[in-house]
Amino acid sequence: DGFEVWVGNSPGHRSMNCGGQQKGLQPPVSRTVTCNNGKWRYVTIRLPGSSRTLGLGEVLVFAGNSMARGRPTWQTSTNKGNPNDPRYKSSLAVDGNPQTCSQTHQQLNNPSWKVELASEQYVSQVAVTNRNDDGYAWLHSFEVFLDGVACGHTQYSLRRGEVRTVTCNRVGKTVAVRQRGMG
C-alpha cells in the first residue's frame, strides 16, 4: 500500500527504483529515500494501483554531498591563538564528520569562518550544525553570508547539537558564518 521513488534520465522513463516500496506515511511524518549508483535527471514518486490519490506536502531532492566538503576554508583565528592546532582548524567544519569542529580564539569583534566553493554555484540553503559538546554555547547571534550578502534572517542562535538551515537562494562562491560581538 506504499509509494515508490524512481529515478531516470527522461520524462516517464523509470530506470531505477530507490529503496523498494515505502510504507505509507501519516502526518506529520517525513521519509528520506536514498538513490545511489548513477546520475539521474528525473525523480518520480509513484503510488501503484488504481483508485488512489497521491498528496505531497513537500519534496526535497539533494544532489550528492555538500558543495563545501573539502573546499578551502579560513577563520579569523584558531583556538588558543595557535593556527597549527589540528583540533580546531577551519577545515574541520567541512570534513563531513559532525564530531569534529572548528573553533576561533575568543575575540572582541565578529569572529568569522568561510569556505570557498569550486566555482560560482546556486546556493539554495546553508545548514549550520552546532557542536554537541561543552563548547556548544559559543555559537550564538550568528549570521550567514553568500559573497558578502546576508542570507535568511539576520541572527540565529542554536542549542547543543542543533542544525539550522538558512535560505540563500542565489548564486555565489564564498559562504561565510559570522558571529556578532564577543566570540
Side-chain angles (χ1 to χ4, degrees), residues 4-8 18 35 40-45 59-61:
E4 300 170 342
V5 177
W6 289 80
V7 291
C18 304
C35 298
W40 309 106
R41 187 169 174 195
Y42 295 92
V43 176
T44 302
I45 299 175
V59 176
L60 302 174
V61 179

Side-chain angles (χ1 to χ4, degrees), residues 74-79 81 83 88 90 103-107 111-112:
W74 171 89
Q75 59 191 20
T76 49
S77 63
T78 301
N79 184 48
Y88 303 110
S90 63
Q103 180 180 320
T104 66
H105 185 66
Q106 184 176 3
Q107 53 194 96
S112 302

Side-chain angles (χ1 to χ4, degrees), residues 83-94:
N84 298 317
D85 187 337
R87 295 174 296 168
Y88 303 110
K89 60 187 180 179
S90 63
S91 62
L92 293 175
V94 293

Side-chain angles (χ1 to χ4, degrees), residues 8 21 32 35 39 50 69 85 99 102 105 150 166 168 174 179:
Q21 192 164 18
T32 300
C35 298
K39 294 181 180 180
S50 59
R69 185 165 299 159
D85 187 337
Q99 301 306 312
S102 69
H105 185 66
V166 179
C168 285
T174 303
Q179 186 160 319

